[in-house]
Amino acid sequence: MSDNRPHILLVDDERSIREPLTAYLGKNGFRISQAENAEAARIKLGAYAIDLVILDIMMPGEDGLSLCRHIRASSELPIILVTARTEDTDRIIGLEMGADDYVLKPFNPRELVARIRAVLRRAGSGDARQRPLETASYAFGEWVLKAGERTLVDREGLSVPLSTGEFNLLLALVTRPRQVLSRDQLLDLTRGREAAAFDRSIDNQVSRLRRKIEADPKDPALIKTVWGGGYALTADVTRL
């Protein structure tokens, strides 16, 4: 079953802050992924469907304001900025960049939880994902997945029916070709507003999808099983 708790990405270079805050937020109904810097955060943003980012401004290397700008350039993912600085300049710049809220260190964890819930309510009760709705088409092997139309067609244009779960799974794979995706990642990437339609195991969904797109489902050439890792789409993908 998919975990329907809001998924929060906590970005802070101080482990002494990340670890206890992760435990506290977990006890208050949130699922947490951690990142110690902007580079790690970018990787997590590409690998999971995050609902909200808690972002420390002062980090070595790329700072939080730069990462905030990057996130806002491509999505409406809710962002709460955190900093030890008290100058209004940082707060104003962060809000001008599109941050949804701003918290000063040291903060009361209960206050942060209240702010998270308020931001998620404004964003749609946790359903606002960081990726905009896909409308492109993806060609791979002998197939074309039309994301905007939510259909799969072969090279002759004949449509193959897909369930919501199968479509979400295939979309997650074609948008990350040759990337090994764990079962947890796939559950996360394929949930959202249609979680109820994806209540079967990832393995069953993969098996059903293989029967529809593989020439030999027992010896799959497109969706490979990576033992101990998950699944990967091994075909080249062209975005149309």
Side-chain angles (χ1 to χ4, degrees), residues 36 42 44 52 57 69 78 81 87 95-96 100 107 119 131 141 146-147 157 165 171 175 226 230 236 238:
E36 68 276 11
R42 289 172 186 262
K44 291 291 177 67
L52 179 144
I57 288 182
R69 184 187 301 110
L81 293 177
E87 291 89 344
L95 295 174
E96 287 178 343
D100 297 86
F107 53 82
V119 170
R131 280 171 290 279
K146 297 182 178 181
L171 182 62
T175 53
V226 181
D236 291 328
T238 301

Side-chain angles (χ1 to χ4, degrees), residues 79-179:
I79 301 169
I80 296 178
L81 293 177
V82 179
T83 186
R85 286 187 174 183
T86 58
E87 291 89 344
D88 284 341
T89 303
D90 278 349
R91 177 177 61 84
I92 294 170
I93 291 175
L95 295 174
E96 287 178 343
M97 285 182 177
D100 297 86
D101 207 344
Y102 190 97
V103 180
L104 287 174
K105 293 180 180 178
F107 53 82
N108 186 319
R110 289 181 63 185
E111 178 187 358
L112 180 60
V113 167
R115 288 176 180 264
I116 289 170
R117 288 174 175 160
V119 170
L120 287 176
R121 281 196 299 271
R122 292 198 300 269
S125 301
D127 277 331
R129 319 302 273 170
Q130 80 269 19
R131 280 171 290 279
L133 180 65
E134 281 283 355
T135 58
S137 294
Y138 299 87
F140 65 99
E142 298 299 317
W143 302 98
V144 175
L145 182 67
K146 297 182 178 181
E149 301 173 21
R150 301 179 69 86
T151 59
L152 177 69
V153 299
D154 62 19
R155 292 295 186 178
E156 297 179 354
L158 298 177
S159 179
V160 174
L162 295 177
S163 68
T164 296
E166 291 162 357
F167 170 82
N168 291 341
L169 174 61
L170 187 55
L171 182 62
L173 291 168
V174 300
T175 53
R176 297 163 186 80
R178 303 189 184 281
Q179 179 179 337

Side-chain angles (χ1 to χ4, degrees), residues 5-32:
R5 293 177 297 166
H7 192 171
I8 294 175
L9 176 60
L10 174 59
V11 188
D12 196 304
D13 62 303
E14 296 185 48
R15 185 174 180 180
S16 61
I17 292 177
R18 292 197 316 271
E19 295 293 344
L21 188 54
T22 293
Y24 185 84
L25 293 175
K27 292 178 181 178
N28 281 271
F30 302 105
R31 208 159 34 112
I32 311 299

Side-chain angles (χ1 to χ4, degrees), residues 2-4 49 51 126-129 168 187-198:
S2 178
D3 188 339
N4 289 321
D51 293 304
D127 277 331
R129 319 302 273 170
N168 291 341
L187 278 171
D188 193 66
L189 291 166
T190 52
R191 67 180 190 87
R193 294 182 179 87
E194 295 162 333
F198 202 81

